[in-house]
Amino acid sequence: MSASDQENVRFSKGLEGIVAAESSVGYVDGLAGKLVYRGYDVNTLVENCDYEEVSYLLLNGELPNREQYKDYSSSLRKKRQLDNDTLNLIRDLKDTHPMSALRTVISFIGARDNRSIEPDLETQKSISIDLIAKIPSVVAAINRAHNSKEFISPDDDLPFSSNFFYQALGRRPDKDEAKMIDEALILHADHGMNASTFTSMVVISTLSDMYSAVTAAISSLKGPLHGGANERALALIQRVGKPENAEKVISNMIASKEKIMGFGHRVYKVYDPRAKILKKFVETVTKKNGQENLFLTAEKIENIMAQTLGSKGIFPNVDFYSGLLYYSVGFDPSIFTPIFAVGRISGWTARSLEYLSDNKIFRPRGMYVGNRGPKEFIPIDDRQ
Ligand SMILES: CC(C)(COP(=O)(O)OP(=O)(O)OC[C@H]1O[C@@H](n2cnc3c(N)ncnc32)[C@H](O)[C@@H]1OP(=O)(O)O)[C@@H](O)C(=O)NCCC(=O)NCCS
């Protein structure tokens, strides 16, 4: 790009405020604190639907009728089981961080599916449904291997979220837990052009394939500024330990300009609606499991953050309470971000398919700020 070209472009660090694609999958209203999937407020969806319905909605644009729901649900159930090669790989990766294991396993499954080279929409949609069905089993198996436990086969009588809970923890959820895990997965299913979703769209835009798009999305989700924040948010709550310690720890962190994980958002400048819903569950579940102290500590951290940074639009995001919620029912912190992926798989695939249906390869420009030269060339033996 020449210097004169550069005068006509707008640069925005981190693409902040840049519109990179049109979508009718969902939107986030960061000022009103609203999250919408295909026109439905997410609060309405968590109250009335299960994850399978929401996944169908994201993928197809409309909620399923009874028959479509039955077909979609049964096709997901049929594809849940992992083959022995995949389970052996998961066993081999038992000491790897679960997000790295997840990335590798999805790539492995994709490498053995010859359909992936066909870039047409129908094939990629069929792969998407396979991935939606399999990713909970992969994450559950990674959790089992990571904790040196035997794998558990899927239970065909259990719906998507409860089956994931069962395969991961080795016990069937009670009614509250089943509702909690289902709502948590719905709340993570889609969230605008976040980093991992954008990553998956960039990959699919080259006419690569859905396995590659999802593998890349997992790599993007892994970072602590994105999906990795939930693990660190819980670590902070545990480190603070009790409400009385919160003031000192948080003030020191703010004074030294440390980021408090689980707070702040590029789009939300008010309370994240997902955090509001999850907080309600955390209170109930921690009370039931004798871990109320952790909830009270988290709430105290939230209050201090609201007093000090609320005026800057920094409030709890989805990651602040999700980690605590998963922990209180028995999930290991290292599996929190993979659980995020179990929910987000529907958004990744829905948006990638939508983009593929009217594709244009992503190819932004960079702003060259280096030396424009020409510099004098010095032979290697003469260089200092
Ligand atoms: C999510 C996040 C990456 C958004 O980043 P962003 O839009 O680029 O905003 P910035 O990081 O530039 O933050 C803007 C200002 O708010 C402050 N801020 C943002 N999040 C903060 C946090 N969690 N704790 C303390 N200060 C924070 C920044 O220090 C910065 O202050 P400054 O203007 O004095 O320099 C950021 O809020 C963050 O790092 N949060 C913690 C990680 C997290 O929870 N991620 C999960 C997101 S769902």
Side-chain angles (χ1 to χ4, degrees):
M1 206 190 308
S2 71
S4 61
D5 270 354
Q6 288 199 3
E7 281 165 17
N8 299 322
V9 297
R10 185 178 151 222
F11 166 59
S12 175
K13 195 170 179 186
L15 298 182
E16 185 164 15
I18 301 289
V19 173
E22 290 180 316
S23 175
S24 51
V25 173
Y27 82 93
V28 182
D29 184 336
L31 294 180
K34 264 188 162 195
L35 173 59
V36 171
Y37 297 166
R38 300 277 192 192
Y40 294 95
D41 189 300
V42 80
N43 284 285
T44 308
L45 293 172
V46 291
E47 276 161 28
N48 297 288
C49 298
D50 68 8
Y51 183 84
E52 285 161 329
E53 277 176 278
V54 172
S55 167
Y56 183 98
L57 169 71
L58 290 170
L59 227 48
N60 297 291
E62 296 293 342
L63 282 168
N65 62 28
R66 180 67 62 194
E67 201 172 318
Q68 289 163 333
Y69 175 76
K70 224 175 108 202
D71 288 350
Y72 186 62
S73 177
S74 95
S75 79
L76 291 180
R77 280 170 214 229
K78 277 189 206 131
K79 296 167 197 282
R80 279 176 185 168
Q81 183 65 51
L82 304 176
D83 61 27
N84 283 337
D85 291 342
T86 306
L87 290 171
N88 287 337
L89 174 64
I90 292 173
R91 210 171 271 120
D92 287 347
L93 294 171
K94 75 185 204 43
D95 297 324
T96 312
H97 187 280
M99 276 305 275
S100 304
L102 178 61
R103 182 190 63 211
T104 304
V105 173
I106 296 302
S107 179
F108 175 76
I109 294 174
R112 296 185 313 146
D113 185 347
N114 290 334
R115 289 175 308 162
S116 62
I117 52 166
E118 302 297 338
D120 67 281
L121 207 54
E122 213 170 301
T123 305
Q124 297 308 319
K125 186 169 181 188
S126 156
I127 291 173
S128 300
I129 296 170
D130 276 19
L131 278 165
I132 293 168
K134 284 199 169 54
I135 210 166
S137 305
V138 172
V139 171
I142 289 172
N143 189 48
R144 304 293 296 171
H146 199 62
N147 292 296
S148 303
K149 298 210 163 117
E150 287 302 307
F151 295 134
I152 293 177
S153 296
D155 178 343
D156 283 346
D157 291 334
L158 291 177
F160 188 93
S161 312
S162 292
N163 178 63
F164 165 63
F165 186 105
Y166 166 63
Q167 280 192 276
L169 295 181
R171 64 182 180 87
R172 289 170 179 76
D174 65 26
K175 216 169 136 232
D176 289 340
E177 289 169 332
K179 185 78 185 133
M180 171 288 277
I181 188 73
D182 199 55
E183 289 201 13
L185 294 182
I186 291 173
L187 292 172
H188 284 85
D190 184 65
H191 206 246
M193 286 275 276
N194 55 83
S196 58
T197 300
F198 183 49
T199 304
S200 71
M201 291 165 65
V202 170
V203 174
I204 210 78
S205 83
T206 68
L207 300 187
S208 181
D209 66 277
M210 199 58 83
Y211 289 111
S212 305
V214 169
T215 302
I218 292 165
S219 311
S220 171
L221 184 69
K222 181 169 174 278
L225 294 188
H226 191 8
N230 50 18
E231 205 177 322
R232 290 165 197 238
L234 175 71
L236 173 68
I237 297 164
Q238 287 174 320
R239 184 155 64 85
V240 170
K242 47 187 181 180
E244 305 86 274
N245 296 343
E247 185 84 55
K248 194 168 167 222
V249 177
I250 301 302
S251 317
N252 284 344
M253 286 177 81
I254 293 173
S256 58
K257 293 227 159 261
E258 262 183 83
K259 287 261 179 85
I260 318 293
M261 291 293 136
F263 285 85
H265 200 274
R266 174 63 64 79
V267 184
Y268 290 122
K269 298 304 164 203
V270 294
Y271 209 109
D272 182 335
R274 302 167 299 171
K276 216 177 261 177
I277 298 171
L278 291 180
K279 182 178 176 185
K280 185 187 71 189
F281 278 112
V282 175
E283 188 169 10
T284 317
V285 176
T286 51
K287 254 187 200 153
K288 206 163 112 185
N289 297 349
Q291 293 166 319
E292 201 185 0
N293 187 47
L294 284 176
F295 170 72
L296 295 173
T297 306
E299 202 174 39
K300 183 74 187 173
I301 295 173
E302 180 191 322
N303 292 340
I304 294 166
M305 286 295 283
Q307 281 159 20
T308 43
L309 293 176
S311 56
K312 275 175 104 176
I314 296 169
F315 292 98
N317 59 51
V318 70
D319 291 316
F320 189 60
Y321 285 110
S322 65
L324 185 46
L325 187 60
Y326 301 145
Y327 178 75
S328 61
V329 296
F331 284 104
D332 203 60
S334 64
I335 210 72
F336 295 169
T337 314
I339 299 175
F340 192 146
V342 172
R344 186 57 56 85
I345 183 73
S346 295
W348 288 335
T349 51
R351 285 187 186 251
S352 297
L353 290 170
E354 180 188 53
Y355 196 79
L356 188 60
S357 71
D358 185 20
N359 191 54
K360 185 170 172 75
I361 188 169
F362 277 105
R363 197 351 184 146
R365 290 158 79 177
M367 179 81 79
Y368 181 68
V369 293
N371 188 323
R372 287 196 171 272
K375 279 175 125 178
E376 183 196 351
F377 179 79
I378 304 171
I380 190 162
D381 291 330
D382 300 340
R383 289 176 214 154
Q384 290 190 336

